[in-house]
Every structure is written in structure tokens, then in C-alpha cells.
Amino acid sequence: MIMIIERSSEWEEGFINRLENPEKWDSWTLYKMSYEIVKTNLITEFSGLQSAKYLPNLTPLTHQLEAAKTVIERMNGKAILADEVGLGKTIEAGLVLKEYLIRGLVKKALILAPASLVNQWVEELNQKFHIPAIPYKKNYPIDRYDIIVMSMDTAKKSPHRELIYAQNFDIFIIDEAHKLKNHKTQIYEFVQSLKKKFCLLLTATPIQNDVFELFYLISLLKPGHLGNYETFQSAFSASKHDLEHDDYLRALVNQVMVRNRREDTGIEWTNRRVQTIPIQFTKEEREVYDLLVELKNVSSVFSGSFALITLQKEMCSSKEATCLTLTKMREDCVAPDEVEYVDRIIEKLMALEINSKAEKVLEIIAQANDKVIIFTEYRATQIYLQWYLHVKGITSVLFNGKFNKNKRDYMKRLFKEQAQVLIATEAGGEGINLQFCHHVINYDLPWNPMKLEQRIGRVHRLGQEHDVHIYNLAIENTIENNILELLNTKIGVFEKVVGDLDDILTNYKKTI
């Protein structure tokens, strides 16, 4: 059906009559009605939130309303929203944005998020907050839209970066802001250069590896709040994993950061049941591991600590991941004895028939008798585990960063409706909500404890109705012992500055 819209000309007759005859130009009744409407919509005081009145599709939780109120009233719209995973930082940011839009303090907004979360942001802003956000596409006339959601990777590159600089955005909202932790990266320099009237940084993990990450994050919001780098380092005797005067530093941090913990929300949460499970290599696996450690004395190609550490970590994961890396490194070996030594390791790797860690996974899945998420750091291990579980009669689906949004959504649905196990790489640790599952196996341990928190937060979040069981697997007398030690050290730094962290490595001292 074609609808024809014509411009009305009826107003002309009334306009001419008023010009030629002493007709009334206005209506006192209509004026009073307009006056009352404007008076009703006036916000007569700045304290308190008005936005909740305009959200028929959303009932914010108390801690979310308080967070938004704190950002607006105490932090002047520049804040780190650092609630624990699953408490609704997106909702808090939406409340702040809606409030500023209602009050007329914000007209143009740019939301930066990982590419996988762009559509999720657009949907939430439109459906829950009635904010007309659009996802940015290349060649969009950026000046014609007021509320834009864009991926970080797109925003930092030309010509999009220059287009953003040319606009007068009133507020920037940056999701997964821990991706800005390295001040030498292109995305950090891009955000640093933005003219930020209001700015929200969203991250459950403002410290991931060391205390200087928080320094640089806060410096994006309020340059000089913690002094310059040298002053900060001196005042708090700060090193990567230690500092002094942490009470004073925490007080300064709390001036720009809102952090709600699960136990502070008044909501009844299910428990975390965390186990760190020691695993023994078989004799054959141990032999290969020891040969890998000796590589540093055999070839200069492997003398770098990073290369050797990578191989040791991969050996604790799967022979498939190890063999891929070792084969690539073999190409750089020159001396015949070096090549011979590497070939010997590859031969022994391929002869291995048992993966001790995979056998433990099978045991855990059998005991759980329920849906399970497995996190690994290597795609080769991911594929191996799917094959191994298939042979044992267990259905599984993969989830990794190479999948586009449609495939990610499809895998999530398959996991919910059909498969027993989801095998995810680190990409599965962000942006998906899986409350229908309550068993998490950390097959490979990351160096960063906040990655563990992100993984667990996929299931231990609002809507979870069961206790969540977490299994951290670690092979004894390997590099995974060192990883556990460092994870605990980093957790200590986080808790000194940011606050207590929920259990992610309980029972470590008892089991390893």
C-alpha cells in the first residue's frame, strides 16, 4: 500500500482572517494548558534522579539507582563504574545517560564497546531506556546522529577517529574499559585526546595485573587526580605488585569510582563453590615437559623466557597446542643438533596417548551431570577437547572470538537447548550471559586473576538460581604452580586498592 502525504494548507485561511479582521491571535485556555505542561516537566532541583519516571520497561535495582545518583551528584559525570560482574553496570550507565538527556545537559553521546557488544548496547538503550541509539557503520554521516554506539577498534582508526574529534560529544561511555590499561596503545591515546565533558568507564576489573593500570585509567578521567607517574610511584612506594599507604590511595580512588559488591546489594545470591584441583602428569607427559624446559640450553631460538613459558603453558594444556607452536619455532632453528632435539620432542609429543588434564575434565563432567563451561586459552586445545568429549559420548559446542555475532548467538542457543558442554576461549569470558549453567572449569589458568573473575561472572550473575561450582585445574610441579602464586599476589594488590574480591582461588593453599 502506498501512502501519499500532502502538506496541509488549512492554516492559510485562519492566518489571512487574523490579518484582515480583528480575530483573536491566541487562546488563553490553550496558553494555560501549555504553561501547565511545561511547569510539570520542569526539574526544579538537581538532587535526585528523574530518569526512573521515564522508564516503563525497566525497574532499576536500588544499588543501580544509587550508583547513578552518586556519579551525577558527587562525581560530576566522570566516573569508573566498577561493580562486580553481573550487577548491571550497563543499566547504571544508561540511567546516567537518560538523566543527562532529560535535564538537557547531554545532546550527543558516543558509546564505545567491543565489537561483539555493540548490538547489545543498541538494543538495551532503545528497548529499556527509550534512547534512540544506532550502531555505527562505515560511511555513516556521524554528525546527523545524536546517540552512536561504535566498536573500539573502529573508533581509534582513521578516518573515524578524525570524524569523532570533529564532533562535540557531551558524554563518552566506554565499556570493558580495562582494555585501556596500556597507556602506550592506540586506543588509550585516542580516548586520552577526547574532549570529555562527561565520561563513564565501565569495568569490573580496574586492576588486572598491576596497580599502575588503575593509575592510567583514572588519569583518563581526571588527569592529575593521582599526580603524575613519578609522584604516584613515590607517594605510594608503588611497584607492580606492592604499594604503601593503601588506605589513602583507596580514598582517592573512591572519589572517582563506584563499586558495588554482590553482598552489598541486598539481593540474596547463590554461593560460589571453588576448588583448585591438583593434577599429576603421567611419566610420559613429564618427560616431554622436562625436555621442553631444557630447550633453553639447546637453542638460542628458545632462550627467550616468553617462548619457553608459552611452550610450558601449552604443554599443560594439550600436545596439539604445544606441537603447533613448536613446529613454527623449529623453522628458526639452524644447527642440525637443534633441529634434531626439537624433532625428538615432537615425536614424543605425538606419541602421547593420555592427556591427564582432559581425563580430570571428563571426571568432573560425569560428577556434575549437568551443563558445564570449559575455558581454555588455546584454540588447538579447544578443538582437541571437543573431539575427546565426542569420543566419550558428550555433546559440546565451541565459542571463540573468530565467530561473528550470529554464530555466537547460535552457539549459545545450541548450548542451552542441546549440548552439555560449551568449550570457550577467552572471548567467551566477555559479553555473554549464561545463568542457566552453574559449572565452570578453568582448564587453563591465565596470568590475570581478573580473567578468572570475568569467566565466572558469565554464570554467577543476576538470575542465577543455583550455587556455582568452579574448578581450577593445575598440574603439579609445572609452571602452573607459578601462575597460582602470582594470581594470589595480584589478588592481594586488587583488594588493597579496589576492595574485596569474591572467591576465585579458594583452597589454593590446601590443595597445591
Side-chain angles (χ1 to χ4, degrees):
M1 182 180 70
I2 299 175
M3 182 179 291
I4 299 174
I5 300 176
E6 296 181 350
R7 182 178 295 177
S8 172
S9 59
E10 292 180 2
W11 62 274
E12 292 182 18
E13 183 179 348
F15 180 73
I16 292 171
N17 285 336
R18 284 174 174 76
L19 285 176
E20 296 177 350
N21 303 302
E23 295 268 345
K24 287 185 178 181
W25 281 86
D26 53 30
S27 165
W28 179 245
T29 302
L30 289 175
Y31 171 80
K32 286 196 296 183
M33 288 173 64
S34 298
Y35 173 81
E36 291 300 325
I37 290 171
V38 172
K39 184 179 177 182
T40 301
N41 288 331
L42 278 177
I43 300 172
T44 56
E45 58 181 4
F46 198 77
S47 61
L49 296 180
Q50 305 297 318
S51 53
K53 304 174 186 176
Y54 301 89
L55 302 174
N57 297 336
L58 177 69
T59 304
L61 299 172
T62 301
H63 74 272
Q64 294 166 344
L65 291 167
E66 286 300 316
K69 186 177 177 183
T70 298
V71 169
I72 290 170
E73 294 184 1
R74 285 181 36 214
M75 299 178 177
N76 300 316
K78 287 187 176 182
I80 299 173
L81 297 178
D83 287 4
E84 290 184 323
V85 178
L87 293 188
K89 292 181 289 296
T90 305
I91 299 297
E92 294 167 1
L95 286 168
V96 172
L97 176 57
K98 186 73 172 181
E99 191 71 25
Y100 280 140
L101 287 168
I102 290 170
R103 293 176 182 274
L105 295 173
V106 164
K107 294 191 181 300
K108 287 181 72 68
L110 178 65
I111 296 93
L112 299 178
S116 60
L117 301 183
V118 166
N119 288 334
Q120 184 175 312
W121 266 96
V122 171
E123 289 170 9
E124 292 220 359
L125 289 176
N126 279 276
Q127 294 173 12
K128 294 181 179 178
F129 293 94
H130 298 284
I131 295 174
I134 64 146
Y136 177 75
K137 305 291 183 184
K138 292 180 181 178
N139 301 321
Y140 264 31
I142 196 171
D143 55 317
R144 297 186 188 178
Y145 302 98
D146 290 332
I147 315 295
I148 298 172
V149 185
M150 188 183 299
S151 80
M152 291 183 182
D153 286 337
T154 298
K156 70 183 182 183
K157 298 173 185 174
S158 294
H160 319 289
R161 177 180 64 225
E162 288 75 20
L163 291 172
I164 292 169
Y165 286 153
Q167 301 302 306
N168 291 315
F169 286 106
D170 300 301
I171 187 171
F172 296 94
I173 299 174
I174 302 172
D175 197 9
E176 305 293 353
H178 48 268
K179 294 182 182 295
L180 303 172
K181 63 185 178 182
N182 187 345
H183 68 289
K184 296 179 181 178
T185 58
Q186 189 180 15
I187 185 63
Y188 185 95
E189 292 173 0
F190 164 71
V191 173
Q192 189 177 40
S193 301
L194 295 172
K195 294 175 285 187
K196 299 180 279 290
K197 177 182 173 183
F198 303 120
C199 184
L200 302 178
L201 304 179
L202 280 60
T203 173
T205 55
I207 294 178
Q208 294 207 332
N209 290 295
D210 64 67
V211 71
F212 295 109
E213 294 171 352
L214 183 61
F215 166 79
Y216 285 115
L217 211 56
I218 290 175
S219 296
L220 281 177
L221 278 180
K222 292 191 173 182
H225 183 72
L226 299 179
N228 60 27
Y229 180 88
E230 291 75 17
T231 303
F232 174 78
Q233 191 176 34
S234 173
F236 299 103
S237 301
S239 61
K240 279 190 173 185
H241 302 141
D242 196 19
L243 73 159
E244 297 177 2
H245 314 298
D246 45 284
D247 288 343
Y248 177 50
L249 178 57
R250 191 185 295 195
L252 287 174
V253 169
N254 286 340
Q255 291 176 16
V256 294
M257 185 174 74
V258 177
R259 176 173 169 80
N260 288 303
R261 299 194 62 222
R262 294 176 187 86
E263 62 185 34
D264 302 327
T265 60
I267 300 168
E268 187 173 339
W269 289 86
T270 59
N271 297 315
R272 287 187 182 185
R273 310 289 186 188
V274 185
Q275 300 177 56
T276 301
I277 301 173
I279 297 168
Q280 293 283 350
F281 264 151
T282 63
K283 179 184 175 183
E284 292 76 15
E285 287 173 315
R286 174 62 60 186
E287 183 181 354
V288 175
Y289 184 87
D290 291 341
L291 287 172
L292 288 170
V293 173
E294 280 300 310
L295 271 170
K296 64 180 182 292
N297 300 320
V298 174
S299 171
S300 59
V301 174
F302 303 94
S303 59
S305 58
F306 178 76
L308 200 59
I309 286 172
T310 298
L311 285 170
Q312 290 177 69
K313 284 193 80 222
E314 288 174 336
M315 184 59 204
C316 291
S317 182
S318 70
K319 69 179 185 183
E320 287 76 10
T322 314
C323 200
L324 274 177
T325 301
L326 197 57
T327 302
K328 290 177 184 176
M329 289 183 171
R330 179 189 182 279
E331 296 174 2
D332 297 324
C333 294
V334 179
D337 57 331
E338 295 177 358
V339 175
E340 183 181 345
Y341 189 89
V342 172
D343 285 344
R344 180 183 164 206
I345 298 177
I346 293 174
E347 184 181 347
K348 287 184 174 294
L349 264 174
M350 300 316 296
L352 292 175
E353 296 181 356
I354 294 175
N355 183 319
S356 298
K357 195 181 273 188
E359 288 191 344
K360 178 57 71 172
V361 165
L362 188 64
E363 182 184 322
I364 293 169
I365 292 172
Q367 290 176 351
N369 194 29
D370 205 341
K371 293 190 181 293
V372 177
I373 302 174
I374 303 172
F375 282 103
T376 175
E377 294 201 326
Y378 308 105
R379 290 177 63 200
T381 300
Q382 188 185 36
I383 294 167
Y384 160 73
L385 284 173
Q386 185 173 49
W387 169 83
Y388 177 76
L389 294 178
H390 174 72
V391 169
K392 302 298 181 180
I394 296 172
T395 55
S396 66
V397 293
L398 304 183
F399 196 97
N400 62 54
K402 296 292 183 180
F403 295 170
N404 61 30
K405 182 183 183 297
N406 289 338
K407 189 167 183 178
R408 288 162 68 97
D409 290 343
Y410 180 59
M411 290 299 174
K412 178 180 172 180
R413 189 167 74 250
L414 279 179
F415 177 44
K416 185 174 184 178
E417 297 175 0
Q418 297 181 32
Q420 184 181 357
V421 177
L422 182 141
I423 309 169
T425 57
E426 210 60 60
E430 293 180 349
I432 56 168
N433 303 330
L434 302 165
Q435 294 95 321
F436 57 85
C437 175
H438 46 276
H439 292 272
V440 177
I441 299 175
N442 289 308
Y443 184 89
D444 297 318
L445 293 172
W447 293 102
N448 180 350
M450 297 305 112
K451 287 187 177 180
L452 286 177
E453 176 62 24
Q454 288 279 358
R455 293 173 180 181
I456 298 167
R458 296 306 100 212
V459 299
H460 197 221
R461 57 195 302 115
L462 288 170
Q464 179 57 260
E465 298 177 353
H466 303 273
D467 286 354
V468 175
H469 299 266
I470 300 108
Y471 314 88
N472 300 317
L473 308 187
I475 298 175
E476 290 191 300
N477 302 314
T478 68
I479 195 170
E480 292 190 330
N481 285 86
N482 302 338
I483 294 174
L484 284 169
E485 291 283 0
L486 188 58
L487 285 172
N488 277 277
T489 299
K490 290 178 178 180
I491 289 170
V493 173
F494 183 98
E495 293 188 331
K496 269 187 174 183
V497 181
V498 178
D500 290 343
L501 188 67
D502 220 335
D503 291 340
I504 60 177
L505 286 176
T506 298
N507 298 331
Y508 159 71
K509 296 295 182 185
K510 295 178 183 178
T511 57
I512 295 293

